Amino acid sequence: MAGPSLAPETLDALDASVEVDMLTPRRDGSTSRRPIWVVVADGEAYVRSYRGASAAWYRRALADGVAALEVDGRTIDVELEPIRDADVDQRVSEGYRAKYGEQSPGPTDAMVSPEVVETTLRLRQASDERP
């Protein structure tokens, strides 16, 4: 079960950031770092994989259920919850259009395409207990 919502100050930082780094562990023990876009909708933070379900960071995050974000010089451990809800997907897509659409119309169009919408993950506070 996913942890609680992210703290309000974390949501504010994510909402204000253009990009954050997604950190996922590789099987060899190293850490992958990928810039991603985050949107906040209805008091929750969401990410999507620009490259769809084939992106390595996304596959690792989905399999592990946990990752970390680097934002404003802080590392935030998060749990990732796949979202399969058309209403939430629509609000997240609207969030991407509002936050990124004017400055980056092409990439924003990609982020709201059906194959990318299928990769929507909600970010939750990581629990203290790890498997």
Side-chain angles (χ1 to χ4, degrees):
M1 175 177 265
S5 296
L6 296 171
E9 59 272 9
T10 299
L11 289 171
D12 289 345
L14 293 172
D15 196 33
S17 297
V18 175
E19 286 185 339
V20 302
D21 283 337
M22 172 67 75
L23 310 173
T24 55
R26 293 185 178 117
R27 300 302 173 229
D28 67 3
S30 65
T31 300
S32 170
R33 176 184 299 266
R34 293 288 176 262
I36 61 167
W37 288 354
V38 178
V39 297
V40 175
D42 300 326
E44 301 280 359
Y46 298 90
V47 297
R48 290 178 174 164
S49 170
Y50 181 80
R51 298 198 185 278
S54 66
W57 78 262
Y58 175 80
R59 290 191 323 268
R60 285 190 298 271
L62 194 60
D64 295 343
V66 295
L69 300 177
E70 194 169 277
V71 58
D72 293 340
R74 299 185 298 149
T75 301
I76 302 161
D77 291 325
V78 295
E79 293 180 2
L80 301 119
E81 176 186 5
I83 299 301
R84 304 293 179 259
D85 180 303
D87 290 335
V88 173
D89 286 337
Q90 181 62 34
R91 290 192 298 275
V92 172
S93 291
E94 290 168 2
Y96 275 105
R97 287 184 188 102
K99 186 172 181 180
Y100 300 104
E102 187 173 325
Q103 188 167 347
S104 301
T108 301
D109 287 344
M111 293 300 287
V112 299
S113 67
E115 59 274 2
V116 171
V117 169
E118 291 177 4
T119 68
T120 303
L121 299 170
R122 181 181 1 236
L123 305 177
R124 308 293 283 192
Q125 185 65 48
S127 64
D128 292 334
E129 295 179 18
R130 294 282 173 102

PDB file of all heavy atoms in Angstrom, residues 4-34:
ATOM      1  N   PRO A   4       1.500   7.952   2.698  1.00  0.00           N
ATOM      2  CA  PRO A   4       0.651   9.146   2.688  1.00  0.00           C
ATOM      3  C   PRO A   4       1.088  10.133   1.600  1.00  0.00           C
ATOM      4  O   PRO A   4       2.147   9.968   0.985  1.00  0.00           O
ATOM      5  CB  PRO A   4       0.877   9.732   4.083  1.00  0.00           C
ATOM      6  CG  PRO A   4       2.216   9.220   4.500  1.00  0.00           C
ATOM      7  CD  PRO A   4       2.360   7.870   3.861  1.00  0.00           C
ATOM      8  N   SER A   5       0.276  11.136   1.398  1.00  0.00           N
ATOM      9  CA  SER A   5       0.605  12.187   0.436  1.00  0.00           C
ATOM     10  C   SER A   5       1.908  12.864   0.821  1.00  0.00           C
ATOM     11  O   SER A   5       2.330  12.828   1.974  1.00  0.00           O
ATOM     12  CB  SER A   5      -0.506  13.234   0.412  1.00  0.00           C
ATOM     13  OG  SER A   5      -1.708  12.665  -0.038  1.00  0.00           O
ATOM     14  N   LEU A   6       2.528  13.482  -0.152  1.00  0.00           N
ATOM     15  CA  LEU A   6       3.742  14.238   0.113  1.00  0.00           C
ATOM     16  C   LEU A   6       3.423  15.465   0.962  1.00  0.00           C
ATOM     17  O   LEU A   6       2.303  16.000   0.908  1.00  0.00           O
ATOM     18  CB  LEU A   6       4.391  14.668  -1.199  1.00  0.00           C
ATOM     19  CG  LEU A   6       4.894  13.534  -2.089  1.00  0.00           C
ATOM     20  CD1 LEU A   6       5.316  14.075  -3.445  1.00  0.00           C
ATOM     21  CD2 LEU A   6       6.045  12.794  -1.422  1.00  0.00           C
ATOM     22  N   ALA A   7       4.396  15.919   1.710  1.00  0.00           N
ATOM     23  CA  ALA A   7       4.232  17.094   2.569  1.00  0.00           C
ATOM     24  C   ALA A   7       3.933  18.325   1.710  1.00  0.00           C
ATOM     25  O   ALA A   7       4.415  18.426   0.575  1.00  0.00           O
ATOM     26  CB  ALA A   7       5.494  17.319   3.386  1.00  0.00           C
ATOM     27  N   PRO A   8       3.155  19.266   2.237  1.00  0.00           N
ATOM     28  CA  PRO A   8       2.810  20.469   1.468  1.00  0.00           C
ATOM     29  C   PRO A   8       4.029  21.218   0.930  1.00  0.00           C
ATOM     30  O   PRO A   8       4.011  21.694  -0.206  1.00  0.00           O
ATOM     31  CB  PRO A   8       2.018  21.320   2.461  1.00  0.00           C
ATOM     32  CG  PRO A   8       1.431  20.327   3.413  1.00  0.00           C
ATOM     33  CD  PRO A   8       2.462  19.238   3.537  1.00  0.00           C
ATOM     34  N   GLU A   9       5.092  21.323   1.709  1.00  0.00           N
ATOM     35  CA  GLU A   9       6.276  22.043   1.231  1.00  0.00           C
ATOM     36  C   GLU A   9       6.963  21.297   0.084  1.00  0.00           C
ATOM     37  O   GLU A   9       7.517  21.911  -0.826  1.00  0.00           O
ATOM     38  CB  GLU A   9       7.270  22.331   2.368  1.00  0.00           C
ATOM     39  CG  GLU A   9       7.799  21.116   3.081  1.00  0.00           C
ATOM     40  CD  GLU A   9       6.949  20.631   4.253  1.00  0.00           C
ATOM     41  OE1 GLU A   9       5.816  21.115   4.467  1.00  0.00           O
ATOM     42  OE2 GLU A   9       7.429  19.738   4.965  1.00  0.00           O
ATOM     43  N   THR A  10       6.885  19.974   0.088  1.00  0.00           N
ATOM     44  CA  THR A  10       7.433  19.185  -1.012  1.00  0.00           C
ATOM     45  C   THR A  10       6.583  19.378  -2.256  1.00  0.00           C
ATOM     46  O   THR A  10       7.111  19.568  -3.362  1.00  0.00           O
ATOM     47  CB  THR A  10       7.513  17.696  -0.633  1.00  0.00           C
ATOM     48  OG1 THR A  10       8.373  17.556   0.507  1.00  0.00           O
ATOM     49  CG2 THR A  10       8.038  16.857  -1.779  1.00  0.00           C
ATOM     50  N   LEU A  11       5.268  19.355  -2.097  1.00  0.00           N
ATOM     51  CA  LEU A  11       4.374  19.601  -3.237  1.00  0.00           C
ATOM     52  C   LEU A  11       4.624  20.976  -3.836  1.00  0.00           C
ATOM     53  O   LEU A  11       4.662  21.136  -5.064  1.00  0.00           O
ATOM     54  CB  LEU A  11       2.912  19.457  -2.816  1.00  0.00           C
ATOM     55  CG  LEU A  11       2.444  18.034  -2.505  1.00  0.00           C
ATOM     56  CD1 LEU A  11       1.055  18.065  -1.889  1.00  0.00           C
ATOM     57  CD2 LEU A  11       2.465  17.165  -3.752  1.00  0.00           C
ATOM     58  N   ASP A  12       4.811  21.980  -2.987  1.00  0.00           N
ATOM     59  CA  ASP A  12       5.086  23.342  -3.471  1.00  0.00           C
ATOM     60  C   ASP A  12       6.386  23.382  -4.273  1.00  0.00           C
ATOM     61  O   ASP A  12       6.451  24.013  -5.329  1.00  0.00           O
ATOM     62  CB  ASP A  12       5.161  24.331  -2.309  1.00  0.00           C
ATOM     63  CG  ASP A  12       3.814  24.591  -1.668  1.00  0.00           C
ATOM     64  OD1 ASP A  12       2.767  24.247  -2.262  1.00  0.00           O
ATOM     65  OD2 ASP A  12       3.808  25.144  -0.538  1.00  0.00           O
ATOM     66  N   ALA A  13       7.418  22.711  -3.768  1.00  0.00           N
ATOM     67  CA  ALA A  13       8.714  22.690  -4.469  1.00  0.00           C
ATOM     68  C   ALA A  13       8.583  21.977  -5.812  1.00  0.00           C
ATOM     69  O   ALA A  13       9.138  22.439  -6.823  1.00  0.00           O
ATOM     70  CB  ALA A  13       9.776  22.024  -3.599  1.00  0.00           C
ATOM     71  N   LEU A  14       7.863  20.859  -5.836  1.00  0.00           N
ATOM     72  CA  LEU A  14       7.667  20.128  -7.088  1.00  0.00           C
ATOM     73  C   LEU A  14       6.851  20.947  -8.083  1.00  0.00           C
ATOM     74  O   LEU A  14       7.153  20.976  -9.275  1.00  0.00           O
ATOM     75  CB  LEU A  14       6.994  18.785  -6.824  1.00  0.00           C
ATOM     76  CG  LEU A  14       7.827  17.769  -6.053  1.00  0.00           C
ATOM     77  CD1 LEU A  14       6.972  16.557  -5.684  1.00  0.00           C
ATOM     78  CD2 LEU A  14       9.054  17.348  -6.834  1.00  0.00           C
ATOM     79  N   ASP A  15       5.837  21.623  -7.585  1.00  0.00           N
ATOM     80  CA  ASP A  15       4.975  22.434  -8.443  1.00  0.00           C
ATOM     81  C   ASP A  15       5.758  23.596  -9.054  1.00  0.00           C
ATOM     82  O   ASP A  15       5.542  23.960 -10.207  1.00  0.00           O
ATOM     83  CB  ASP A  15       3.782  22.929  -7.636  1.00  0.00           C
ATOM     84  CG  ASP A  15       2.653  23.442  -8.505  1.00  0.00           C
ATOM     85  OD1 ASP A  15       2.460  22.909  -9.623  1.00  0.00           O
ATOM     86  OD2 ASP A  15       1.952  24.368  -8.068  1.00  0.00           O
ATOM     87  N   ALA A  16       6.694  24.153  -8.309  1.00  0.00           N
ATOM     88  CA  ALA A  16       7.471  25.295  -8.774  1.00  0.00           C
ATOM     89  C   ALA A  16       8.633  24.895  -9.684  1.00  0.00           C
ATOM     90  O   ALA A  16       9.149  25.727 -10.433  1.00  0.00           O
ATOM     91  CB  ALA A  16       8.005  26.081  -7.578  1.00  0.00           C
ATOM     92  N   SER A  17       9.055  23.646  -9.638  1.00  0.00           N
ATOM     93  CA  SER A  17      10.207  23.184 -10.413  1.00  0.00           C
ATOM     94  C   SER A  17       9.816  22.866 -11.844  1.00  0.00           C
ATOM     95  O   SER A  17       8.782  22.241 -12.086  1.00  0.00           O
ATOM     96  CB  SER A  17      10.790  21.917  -9.787  1.00  0.00           C
ATOM     97  OG  SER A  17      11.273  22.192  -8.501  1.00  0.00           O
ATOM     98  N   VAL A  18      10.658  23.256 -12.778  1.00  0.00           N
ATOM     99  CA  VAL A  18      10.427  22.898 -14.176  1.00  0.00           C
ATOM    100  C   VAL A  18      10.800  21.439 -14.389  1.00  0.00           C
ATOM    101  O   VAL A  18      10.059  20.682 -15.010  1.00  0.00           O
ATOM    102  CB  VAL A  18      11.223  23.820 -15.121  1.00  0.00           C
ATOM    103  CG1 VAL A  18      11.083  23.365 -16.569  1.00  0.00           C
ATOM    104  CG2 VAL A  18      10.759  25.261 -14.965  1.00  0.00           C
ATOM    105  N   GLU A  19      11.963  21.047 -13.891  1.00  0.00           N
ATOM    106  CA  GLU A  19      12.407  19.656 -13.962  1.00  0.00           C
ATOM    107  C   GLU A  19      12.964  19.239 -12.610  1.00  0.00           C
ATOM    108  O   GLU A  19      13.498  20.072 -11.877  1.00  0.00           O
ATOM    109  CB  GLU A  19      13.521  19.468 -15.000  1.00  0.00           C
ATOM    110  CG  GLU A  19      13.083  19.508 -16.422  1.00  0.00           C
ATOM    111  CD  GLU A  19      14.213  19.204 -17.386  1.00  0.00           C
ATOM    112  OE1 GLU A  19      15.399  19.332 -17.044  1.00  0.00           O
ATOM    113  OE2 GLU A  19      13.887  18.846 -18.534  1.00  0.00           O
ATOM    114  N   VAL A  20      12.841  17.975 -12.325  1.00  0.00           N
ATOM    115  CA  VAL A  20      13.500  17.377 -11.162  1.00  0.00           C
ATOM    116  C   VAL A  20      14.212  16.131 -11.666  1.00  0.00           C
ATOM    117  O   VAL A  20      13.933  15.644 -12.755  1.00  0.00           O
ATOM    118  CB  VAL A  20      12.511  17.025 -10.030  1.00  0.00           C
ATOM    119  CG1 VAL A  20      11.752  18.269  -9.561  1.00  0.00           C
ATOM    120  CG2 VAL A  20      11.539  15.944 -10.450  1.00  0.00           C
ATOM    121  N   ASP A  21      15.120  15.622 -10.869  1.00  0.00           N
ATOM    122  CA  ASP A  21      15.808  14.386 -11.252  1.00  0.00           C
ATOM    123  C   ASP A  21      15.141  13.205 -10.578  1.00  0.00           C
ATOM    124  O   ASP A  21      14.904  13.218  -9.367  1.00  0.00           O
ATOM    125  CB  ASP A  21      17.285  14.432 -10.860  1.00  0.00           C
ATOM    126  CG  ASP A  21      18.119  15.284 -11.794  1.00  0.00           C
ATOM    127  OD1 ASP A  21      17.699  15.486 -12.947  1.00  0.00           O
ATOM    128  OD2 ASP A  21      19.190  15.746 -11.379  1.00  0.00           O
ATOM    129  N   MET A  22      14.845  12.194 -11.372  1.00  0.00           N
ATOM    130  CA  MET A  22      14.327  10.928 -10.866  1.00  0.00           C
ATOM    131  C   MET A  22      15.530  10.004 -10.688  1.00  0.00           C
ATOM    132  O   MET A  22      16.304   9.793 -11.627  1.00  0.00           O
ATOM    133  CB  MET A  22      13.333  10.317 -11.854  1.00  0.00           C
ATOM    134  CG  MET A  22      12.870   8.910 -11.508  1.00  0.00           C
ATOM    135  SD  MET A  22      11.868   8.803 -10.021  1.00  0.00           S
ATOM    136  CE  MET A  22      10.308   9.450 -10.608  1.00  0.00           C
ATOM    137  N   LEU A  23      15.689   9.480  -9.490  1.00  0.00           N
ATOM    138  CA  LEU A  23      16.794   8.589  -9.168  1.00  0.00           C
ATOM    139  C   LEU A  23      16.240   7.189  -8.943  1.00  0.00           C
ATOM    140  O   LEU A  23      15.381   6.988  -8.087  1.00  0.00           O
ATOM    141  CB  LEU A  23      17.515   9.059  -7.905  1.00  0.00           C
ATOM    142  CG  LEU A  23      17.921  10.537  -7.872  1.00  0.00           C
ATOM    143  CD1 LEU A  23      18.468  10.910  -6.506  1.00  0.00           C
ATOM    144  CD2 LEU A  23      18.931  10.839  -8.952  1.00  0.00           C
ATOM    145  N   THR A  24      16.732   6.243  -9.742  1.00  0.00           N
ATOM    146  CA  THR A  24      16.304   4.851  -9.581  1.00  0.00           C
ATOM    147  C   THR A  24      17.549   3.973  -9.539  1.00  0.00           C
ATOM    148  O   THR A  24      18.526   4.222 -10.260  1.00  0.00           O
ATOM    149  CB  THR A  24      15.386   4.390 -10.728  1.00  0.00           C
ATOM    150  OG1 THR A  24      16.038   4.610 -11.982  1.00  0.00           O
ATOM    151  CG2 THR A  24      14.053   5.132 -10.696  1.00  0.00           C
ATOM    152  N   PRO A  25      17.516   2.934  -8.708  1.00  0.00           N
ATOM    153  CA  PRO A  25      18.682   2.050  -8.624  1.00  0.00           C
ATOM    154  C   PRO A  25      18.748   1.102  -9.820  1.00  0.00           C
ATOM    155  O   PRO A  25      17.736   0.544 -10.233  1.00  0.00           O
ATOM    156  CB  PRO A  25      18.444   1.281  -7.326  1.00  0.00           C
ATOM    157  CG  PRO A  25      16.967   1.296  -7.141  1.00  0.00           C
ATOM    158  CD  PRO A  25      16.482   2.580  -7.754  1.00  0.00           C
ATOM    159  N   ARG A  26      19.951   0.970 -10.347  1.00  0.00           N
ATOM    160  CA  ARG A  26      20.180  -0.021 -11.395  1.00  0.00           C
ATOM    161  C   ARG A  26      20.537  -1.348 -10.738  1.00  0.00           C
ATOM    162  O   ARG A  26      20.944  -1.386  -9.586  1.00  0.00           O
ATOM    163  CB  ARG A  26      21.326   0.425 -12.303  1.00  0.00           C
ATOM    164  CG  ARG A  26      21.014   1.643 -13.117  1.00  0.00           C
ATOM    165  CD  ARG A  26      22.176   1.919 -14.080  1.00  0.00           C
ATOM    166  NE  ARG A  26      21.909   3.057 -14.907  1.00  0.00           N
ATOM    167  CZ  ARG A  26      22.626   4.182 -14.899  1.00  0.00           C
ATOM    168  NH1 ARG A  26      23.665   4.312 -14.088  1.00  0.00           N
ATOM    169  NH2 ARG A  26      22.311   5.172 -15.694  1.00  0.00           N
ATOM    170  N   ARG A  27      20.400  -2.408 -11.479  1.00  0.00           N
ATOM    171  CA  ARG A  27      20.683  -3.742 -10.940  1.00  0.00           C
ATOM    172  C   ARG A  27      22.150  -3.922 -10.553  1.00  0.00           C
ATOM    173  O   ARG A  27      22.472  -4.739  -9.706  1.00  0.00           O
ATOM    174  CB  ARG A  27      20.270  -4.831 -11.929  1.00  0.00           C
ATOM    175  CG  ARG A  27      18.785  -4.794 -12.273  1.00  0.00           C
ATOM    176  CD  ARG A  27      17.894  -4.929 -11.037  1.00  0.00           C
ATOM    177  NE  ARG A  27      16.492  -4.719 -11.382  1.00  0.00           N
ATOM    178  CZ  ARG A  27      15.683  -3.907 -10.730  1.00  0.00           C
ATOM    179  NH1 ARG A  27      16.095  -3.219  -9.703  1.00  0.00           N
ATOM    180  NH2 ARG A  27      14.431  -3.774 -11.100  1.00  0.00           N
ATOM    181  N   ASP A  28      23.044  -3.124 -11.165  1.00  0.00           N
ATOM    182  CA  ASP A  28      24.468  -3.241 -10.822  1.00  0.00           C
ATOM    183  C   ASP A  28      24.839  -2.434  -9.577  1.00  0.00           C
ATOM    184  O   ASP A  28      26.000  -2.364  -9.203  1.00  0.00           O
ATOM    185  CB  ASP A  28      25.344  -2.823 -12.007  1.00  0.00           C
ATOM    186  CG  ASP A  28      25.239  -1.339 -12.350  1.00  0.00           C
ATOM    187  OD1 ASP A  28      24.527  -0.576 -11.653  1.00  0.00           O
ATOM    188  OD2 ASP A  28      25.880  -0.924 -13.339  1.00  0.00           O
ATOM    189  N   GLY A  29      23.844  -1.808  -8.949  1.00  0.00           N
ATOM    190  CA  GLY A  29      24.084  -1.041  -7.735  1.00  0.00           C
ATOM    191  C   GLY A  29      24.292   0.444  -7.965  1.00  0.00           C
ATOM    192  O   GLY A  29      24.284   1.224  -7.004  1.00  0.00           O
ATOM    193  N   SER A  30      24.489   0.858  -9.201  1.00  0.00           N
ATOM    194  CA  SER A  30      24.630   2.285  -9.488  1.00  0.00           C
ATOM    195  C   SER A  30      23.246   2.939  -9.513  1.00  0.00           C
ATOM    196  O   SER A  30      22.223   2.261  -9.441  1.00  0.00           O
ATOM    197  CB  SER A  30      25.358   2.490 -10.815  1.00  0.00           C
ATOM    198  OG  SER A  30      24.590   1.990 -11.891  1.00  0.00           O
ATOM    199  N   THR A  31      23.241   4.244  -9.611  1.00  0.00           N
ATOM    200  CA  THR A  31      21.985   4.992  -9.621  1.00  0.00           C
ATOM    201  C   THR A  31      21.792   5.680 -10.961  1.00  0.00           C
ATOM    202  O   THR A  31      22.702   6.341 -11.450  1.00  0.00           O
ATOM    203  CB  THR A  31      21.967   6.039  -8.496  1.00  0.00           C
ATOM    204  OG1 THR A  31      22.101   5.372  -7.247  1.00  0.00           O
ATOM    205  CG2 THR A  31      20.672   6.846  -8.500  1.00  0.00           C
ATOM    206  N   SER A  32      20.628   5.515 -11.533  1.00  0.00           N
ATOM    207  CA  SER A  32      20.248   6.212 -12.751  1.00  0.00           C
ATOM    208  C   SER A  32      19.627   7.554 -12.367  1.00  0.00           C
ATOM    209  O   SER A  32      18.857   7.644 -11.422  1.00  0.00           O
ATOM    210  CB  SER A  32      19.223   5.381 -13.529  1.00  0.00           C
ATOM    211  OG  SER A  32      18.675   6.140 -14.579  1.00  0.00           O
ATOM    212  N   ARG A  33      19.977   8.584 -13.094  1.00  0.00           N
ATOM    213  CA  ARG A  33      19.440   9.926 -12.858  1.00  0.00           C
ATOM    214  C   ARG A  33      18.855  10.434 -14.176  1.00  0.00           C
ATOM    215  O   ARG A  33      19.569  10.526 -15.165  1.00  0.00           O
ATOM    216  CB  ARG A  33      20.563  10.835 -12.380  1.00  0.00           C
ATOM    217  CG  ARG A  33      20.189  12.284 -12.189  1.00  0.00           C
ATOM    218  CD  ARG A  33      21.401  13.114 -11.807  1.00  0.00           C
ATOM    219  NE  ARG A  33      21.981  12.656 -10.568  1.00  0.00           N
ATOM    220  CZ  ARG A  33      21.690  13.158  -9.365  1.00  0.00           C
ATOM    221  NH1 ARG A  33      20.829  14.143  -9.253  1.00  0.00           N
ATOM    222  NH2 ARG A  33      22.260  12.685  -8.290  1.00  0.00           N
ATOM    223  N   ARG A  34      17.551  10.734 -14.150  1.00  0.00           N
ATOM    224  CA  ARG A  34      16.876  11.228 -15.346  1.00  0.00           C
ATOM    225  C   ARG A  34      16.069  12.466 -15.006  1.00  0.00           C
ATOM    226  O   ARG A  34      15.305  12.459 -14.027  1.00  0.00           O
ATOM    227  CB  ARG A  34      15.903  10.182 -15.899  1.00  0.00           C
ATOM    228  CG  ARG A  34      16.562   8.952 -16.454  1.00  0.00           C
ATOM    229  CD  ARG A  34      17.260   9.266 -17.784  1.00  0.00           C
ATOM    230  NE  ARG A  34      17.974   8.104 -18.273  1.00  0.00           N
ATOM    231  CZ  ARG A  34      19.280   7.894 -18.110  1.00  0.00           C
ATOM    232  NH1 ARG A  34      20.007   8.751 -17.437  1.00  0.00           N
ATOM    233  NH2 ARG A  34      19.858   6.832 -18.609  1.00  0.00           N
TER     234      ARG A  34
END
